[in-house]
């Protein structure tokens, strides 16, 4: 857009930075002036295409076409995301071969860390997917503003500022569903009421599931019961200001985990958050977004309350994970250039104690301080900006610095059953003891985006991201003895943070009825934190293939992601995606464990009439033969090679009247017996567990929107 208005420079600094895409230019007349003054032409470029590495879903507008058991199960329907199954609940998301705190998962700016040392409750398991307006998935390191670390990506769940009128109004939805395999009954409701000045949002949800069967008809211990509720009170004193207070409660009870030594009778989460957002419009500070939050997670696992146990030891692990944090994000106008900045802080404390006893009523004697009161605090400063280098070129650069502090509250407290402390384990395995730690981690990003044509964009980026070890990697003290064949699982207090150096390139092209994207990346990781078997490696003082330890290695992660969509007609569309990840232990020249194979999906959607939509999907994965199964010579973290599979799902949705939608379908139509390659660990012994996916299941769901 050409103009002679001087204030268009401000518009340039905000609009042109959003994306590299080139918009068609238009001429607008100049404003009246006392004298003829000719100013340089200024071009403004509007966004046309988003980065291929980012996906966005709006659950309130487009509910998931097939059922999902929790947030992790939902996320693996997003291109490029998979998940490791441990039971019916608590699936662990994996992006580009990375998981756990290699990903940042936030909800309205708040971070929740699970409280189970055995990862029965990853953060995504507490996400009530249906309650959010927007779910954004970022694959890889695309911005320094998404929090510390997160080399694998980010999952950002958020509520939008509602648009309401001057008079009191209400809108919302209610839904209920049934999934036959596992007899899963679910219901959720959402209500928003208020005016343009004040509003209240209420969300409710429940889900009860019994054990499902795999394709061979074998029952898989996977039942659980889930309840969630959320409330938000918001005030919008003006068009440019939004203030909110939120509370969320999430409870999962009687969750069974096949192959694990324990189940979870209860897992309870409370989350509190507050936010202030204001648009200034002029001045140095253009926009500010302030968030503060606190989350409390209480988790219990045991080996007797949800299963039959006839002999000792009866064991129970109550655990806690408390997090406080906040951020201040501001868009600054510095000499006409918009710089996006952030100051963020989060502090997590975790404690888990295992007690044992001769029977279910006498589990009172401490056996191990699994998390000996470990606190990790991270304070970060970040800035990022986008520069217009030409009519078709955009450069985005950013940097962040994170200060990490770690302390241990109970490393010298002796367990009653063993007489050992957490420090005794650290000393036996690594020759060190826990002490206060500090790190200063530097991360940076540079991405160049170029519009080759009006319909084709290219991009390339280089980045460094540093992520610190979590409480398990640096301090787990799962005491299972110190003998030659012990099966202890022990964190390393002296573990170094991972340094990821990534190169990424890709393209996005399309026409009026089709779009295709491709991304390739390579990630050289210094000090990759490897969970390994104790074999007397450098720095490891115990040799026991059954014992798990942590050490730093050099690694390579590389991959390719493809996606496309084609509107074959006004009523028929086709979507496809595929992702491949390669993982290599560069020190030992062998495969990294727990790397997913080539996988993807193909979706066909047919809008037969205004009120009937039909769909079919094929989810597929290739064989995974690059595995690490030998704990004597490697980690033994993979159960074994995994066969490929292709699973067919079909669905139909009927909208008989406005605001009413009825859907039904079948998942795994051919009743295939299959499992994802990613397996999970058992804290009670060194066994790795691979859980089969559900067999054929018929589902129905109804939804009313008002």
């Amino acid at each position: 857009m050409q103009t002679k208005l001087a204030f268009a420079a401000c518009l340039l600094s905000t609009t042109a930075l959003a994306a590299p895409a080139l918009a068609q230019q238009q001429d607008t007349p100049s404003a009246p002036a006392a004298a003829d003054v000719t100013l340089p032409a200024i071009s403004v470029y509007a966004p046309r295409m988003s980065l291929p590495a980012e996906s966005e879903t709006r659950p309130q507008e487009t509910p998931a076409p097939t059922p999902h058991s929790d947030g992790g199960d939902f996320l693996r329907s997003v291109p490029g995301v998979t998940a490791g199954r441990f039971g019916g609940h608590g699936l662990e998301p994996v992006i580009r071969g990375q998981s756990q705190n290699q990903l940042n998962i936030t909800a309205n700016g708040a971070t929740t860390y699970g409280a189970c040392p055995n990862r029965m409750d990853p953060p995504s398991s507490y996400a009530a997917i249906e309650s959010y307006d927007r779910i954004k998935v970022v694959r890889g390191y695309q911005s320094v503003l998404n929090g510390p670390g997160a080399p694998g990506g980010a999952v950002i769940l958020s509520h939008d500022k509602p648009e309401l009128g001057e008079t009191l109004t209400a809108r919302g939805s209610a839904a209920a569903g049934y999934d036959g395999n596992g007899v899963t009954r679910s219901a959720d409701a959402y209500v928003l009421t208020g005016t343009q000045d004040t509003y209240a949002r209420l969300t409710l949800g429940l889900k009860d599931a019994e054990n499902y069967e795999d394709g061979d008809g074998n029952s898989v211990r996977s039942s659980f019961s889930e309840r969630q509720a959320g409330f938000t009170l918001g005030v919008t004193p003006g068009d440019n200001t939004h203030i909110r207070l939120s509370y969320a409660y999430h409870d999962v009870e009687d969750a069974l985990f096949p192959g694990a030594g324990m189940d979870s009778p209860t897992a309870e989460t409370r989350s509190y958050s507050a936010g202030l957002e204001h648009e200034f419009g002029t001045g140095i500070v253009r926009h500010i977004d302030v968030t503060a939050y606190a989350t409390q997670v209480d988790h219990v696992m045991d080996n007797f309350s949800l299963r039959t146990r006839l002999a000792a030891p009866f064991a129970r692990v109550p655990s806690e994970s408390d997090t406080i944090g906040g951020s201040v994000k501001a868009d600054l106008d510095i000499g006409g250039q918009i710089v996006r900045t952030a100051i963020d802080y989060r502090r997590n404390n975790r404690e888990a104690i295992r007690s044992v006893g001769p029977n279910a009523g006498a589990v009172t004697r401490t056996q191990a301080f699994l998390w000996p009161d470990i606190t990790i605090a991270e304070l970060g400063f970040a800035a990022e900006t986008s520069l217009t280098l030409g009519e078709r070129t955009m450069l985005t650069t950013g940097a962040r610095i994170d200060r990490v502090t770690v302390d241990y509250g109970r490393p010298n407290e002796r367990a009653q059953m063993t007489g050992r402390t957490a420090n005794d384990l650290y000393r036996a395995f690594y020759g060190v003891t826990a002490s206060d730690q500090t790190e200063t981690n530097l991360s940076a990003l540079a991405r160049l985006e170029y519009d080759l044509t009006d319909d084709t964009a290219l991009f390339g980026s280089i980045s460094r991201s540093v992520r610190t070890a979590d409480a398990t990697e640096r301090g787990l003290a799962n005491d299972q003895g110190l003998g030659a064949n012990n099966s202890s699982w022990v964190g390393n207090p002296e573990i170094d943070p991972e340094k990821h150096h990534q190169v990424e390139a890709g393209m996005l092209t399309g026409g009026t009825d089709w779009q295709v994207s491709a991304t390739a990346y390579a990630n050289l990781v210094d000090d990759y934190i490897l969970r390994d078997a104790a074999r007397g490696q450098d720095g490891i003082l115990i040799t026991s293939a059954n014992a798990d330890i942590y050490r730093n290695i050099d690694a390579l992660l590389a991959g390719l992601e493809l996606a496309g969509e084609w509107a074959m007609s006004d009523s028929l569309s086709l979507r496809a995606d595929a992702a491949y990840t390669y993982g290599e232990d560069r020190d030992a020249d062998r495969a990294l464990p727990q790397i997913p194979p080539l996988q993807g999906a193909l979706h066909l959607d047919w809008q037969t009439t205004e009120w009937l939509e039909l769909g079919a999907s094929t989810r597929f994965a290739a064989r995974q033969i690059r595995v690490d199964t030998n704990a004597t010579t490697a980690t033994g973290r993979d159960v074994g090679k995994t066969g490929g599979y292709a699973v067919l799902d079909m669905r139909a949705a009927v909208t008989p009247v406005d605001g009413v939608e009825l859907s039904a379908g079948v998942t795994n139509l051919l009743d295939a017996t299959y499992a994802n390659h990613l397996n999970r660990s058992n804290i009670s012994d060194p066994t790795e567990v691979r859980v089969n996916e559900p067999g054929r299941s018929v589902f129905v769901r109804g939804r009313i929107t008002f």
Side-chain angles (χ1 to χ4, degrees):
M1 178 185 299
Q2 292 183 342
T3 180
K4 296 181 180 180
L5 298 177
F7 65 80
C10 294
L11 182 62
L12 172 66
S13 64
T14 55
T15 307
L17 302 179
L22 176 66
Q24 290 185 348
Q25 300 182 11
Q26 302 175 357
D27 291 332
T28 57
S30 60
D36 292 334
V37 178
T38 302
L39 298 177
I42 298 176
S43 298
V44 176
Y45 308 105
R48 185 194 60 210
M49 300 177 178
S50 61
L51 288 174
E54 297 181 357
S55 303
E56 186 173 289
T57 304
R58 292 178 173 268
Q60 291 293 332
E61 298 177 6
T62 54
T66 56
H68 54 274
S69 60
D70 72 352
D73 194 15
F74 170 84
L75 288 172
R76 64 178 180 168
S77 67
V78 177
V81 184
T82 186
R85 181 181 287 278
F86 204 23
H89 201 270
L91 281 73
E92 182 82 72
V94 177
I95 301 176
R96 294 186 175 182
Q98 301 179 68
S99 62
Q100 302 187 25
N101 81 325
Q102 292 170 321
L103 311 176
N104 270 342
I105 299 178
T106 59
N108 286 326
T111 300
T112 298
Y113 290 96
C116 177
N118 210 23
R119 298 291 294 188
M120 291 177 177
D121 65 336
S124 58
S125 67
Y126 295 115
I129 294 298
E130 291 82 6
S131 70
Y132 290 97
D133 296 321
R134 190 190 308 264
I135 300 173
K136 182 178 180 180
V137 175
V138 180
R139 299 184 299 278
Y141 197 68
Q142 307 299 338
S143 174
V144 300
L145 303 176
N146 288 334
V155 178
I156 304 167
L157 302 94
S158 59
H159 288 132
D160 293 335
K161 175 186 174 183
E163 296 182 2
L164 298 170
E166 295 181 358
T167 59
L168 182 65
T169 58
R171 65 173 184 257
S173 66
Y178 177 83
D179 195 359
N181 189 353
V183 193
T184 301
R185 293 144 293 182
S186 63
D188 59 83
Y190 154 78
V191 178
L192 173 68
T193 183
T195 68
Q196 63 184 9
D197 298 323
T198 305
Y199 71 89
R201 181 198 307 264
L202 175 66
T203 60
L204 299 169
L206 60 87
K207 189 173 295 182
D208 286 291
E210 299 179 13
N211 295 339
Y212 67 74
E213 293 183 351
D214 66 14
D216 288 332
N218 299 314
S219 179
V220 177
R221 299 181 74 251
S222 54
S223 65
F224 65 91
S225 179
E226 180 182 40
R227 305 288 184 272
Q228 68 86 16
F231 179 77
T232 298
L233 178 64
V235 179
T236 55
D239 293 339
N240 298 328
T241 304
H242 180 209
I243 303 170
R244 62 167 180 83
L245 297 173
S246 299
Y247 169 77
Y249 175 80
H250 200 115
D251 178 53
V252 179
E253 296 181 347
D254 300 336
L256 304 184
F257 294 89
M262 293 184 174
D263 300 309
S264 176
T266 181
E268 192 175 51
T269 300
R270 292 177 175 85
S271 178
Y272 312 83
S273 66
L276 166 64
E277 189 173 3
H278 182 74
E279 190 79 37
F280 292 93
T282 60
I284 295 178
V285 181
R286 294 299 186 88
H287 178 268
I288 190 167
D289 188 346
V290 181
T291 300
Y293 65 89
T295 60
Q296 301 170 324
V297 185
D298 297 304
H299 184 276
V300 175
M301 60 179 174
D302 65 36
N303 64 0
F304 56 85
S305 65
L306 300 176
R307 61 179 65 189
T308 300
R309 188 169 188 86
L310 302 177
F314 288 73
R316 184 174 184 267
V317 182
S319 53
E320 299 177 356
S321 175
D322 297 331
T323 308
I324 60 172
S327 65
V328 178
K329 297 182 178 180
D331 292 350
L332 307 180
D333 185 342
I334 301 177
Q337 179 68 36
I338 297 297
V339 179
R340 299 173 292 277
T341 64
I343 302 173
D344 46 61
Y345 175 79
R346 63 189 185 193
R347 177 185 182 274
N348 174 252
N349 173 265
R350 297 194 208 186
E351 187 169 28
I353 303 172
R354 182 167 58 214
S355 298
V356 299
N359 56 66
V363 183
T364 57
R365 292 176 61 81
T366 58
Q367 189 274 334
F369 292 87
L370 298 178
W371 283 329
D373 191 14
I374 301 174
T375 300
I376 303 175
E378 299 170 272
L379 175 63
F381 301 86
E384 186 173 289
T385 190
S386 298
L387 301 169
T388 303
L389 302 183
E391 289 188 351
R392 295 181 177 269
T393 307
M394 182 74 67
L395 175 65
T396 298
T397 59
R400 69 175 294 127
I401 180 170
D402 294 291
R403 182 68 170 174
V404 182
T405 59
V406 184
D407 67 73
Y408 300 74
R410 306 175 71 176
N412 294 309
E413 193 161 339
R414 297 193 177 278
Q416 294 170 306
M417 291 295 296
T418 66
R420 287 188 289 269
T421 69
N423 266 337
D424 288 338
L425 266 69
Y426 305 148
R427 188 182 298 109
F429 277 86
Y430 305 103
V432 302
T433 56
S435 60
D436 293 351
Q437 302 282 330
T438 60
E439 298 171 2
T440 301
N441 298 326
L442 300 175
S443 302
L445 165 74
R447 180 175 60 250
L448 188 67
E449 302 168 64
Y450 176 70
D451 283 340
L452 184 63
T453 68
D454 288 346
D455 299 317
T456 302
L458 308 177
F459 73 93
S461 68
I462 184 170
S463 66
R464 167 191 165 93
S465 53
V466 182
R467 76 103 182 168
T468 193
D470 67 10
T472 296
E473 293 164 329
R474 64 169 75 246
L476 185 71
N478 180 25
D479 190 347
Q480 301 284 2
L482 297 177
N485 294 316
N486 81 84
S487 55
S488 295
W489 179 3
V490 183
N492 184 349
E494 298 291 334
I495 200 77
D496 291 328
E498 291 181 347
K499 295 90 174 175
H500 293 250
H501 306 93
Q502 304 191 53
V503 177
E504 186 170 338
M507 57 83 68
L508 181 63
T509 187
T512 56
D513 55 5
W514 63 277
Q515 183 170 289
V516 175
S517 67
T519 303
Y521 64 90
N523 180 3
L524 288 174
V525 190
D526 296 336
D527 296 321
Y528 181 90
I529 299 174
L530 179 70
R531 180 178 165 187
D532 205 350
R535 303 186 307 278
Q537 304 97 320
D538 288 344
I540 308 301
L541 306 182
I542 286 182
T543 299
S544 171
N546 290 329
D548 281 356
I549 51 88
Y550 290 95
R551 64 188 185 92
N552 293 116
I553 64 167
D554 290 336
L556 168 67
L557 291 164
L560 178 66
E561 297 167 345
L562 302 171
E565 55 186 67
W566 176 29
M568 294 180 284
S569 68
D570 291 340
S571 60
L572 196 62
S573 62
L574 184 68
R575 294 175 290 119
D577 62 83
Y580 172 72
T581 305
Y582 175 91
E584 180 81 6
D585 179 341
R586 293 160 55 204
D587 289 347
D589 294 326
R590 59 173 171 247
L592 278 179
Q594 291 300 277
I595 300 297
L598 171 67
Q599 61 183 24
L602 180 67
H603 309 278
L604 181 65
D605 297 300
W606 182 24
Q607 188 74 48
T608 61
T609 66
E610 291 184 357
W611 53 270
L612 176 62
E613 180 181 353
L614 303 176
S617 300
T618 298
R619 297 173 283 121
F620 65 87
R623 297 175 60 207
Q624 179 57 286
I625 59 175
R626 300 191 72 253
V627 294
D628 181 348
T629 58
N630 192 333
T632 302
T633 59
T635 72
R637 291 287 318 286
D638 291 323
V639 170
K641 298 179 181 179
T642 309
Y645 64 83
V647 179
L648 178 62
D649 304 330
M650 303 193 74
R651 61 192 180 275
V654 179
T655 309
V657 296
D658 289 344
V660 176
E661 181 180 277
L662 303 175
S663 60
V666 56
T667 55
N668 194 357
L669 177 66
L670 303 180
D671 206 18
T673 302
Y674 72 104
N676 288 322
H677 174 69
L678 302 174
N679 49 253
R680 299 288 295 276
S681 300
N682 182 2
I683 201 169
S684 301
D685 59 54
T687 306
E688 297 288 344
V689 182
R690 179 180 295 156
V691 181
N692 279 349
E693 295 292 313
R696 182 188 300 117
S697 184
V698 176
F699 68 89
V700 293
R701 179 176 171 87
R703 185 171 186 254
I704 299 174
T705 303
F706 58 89

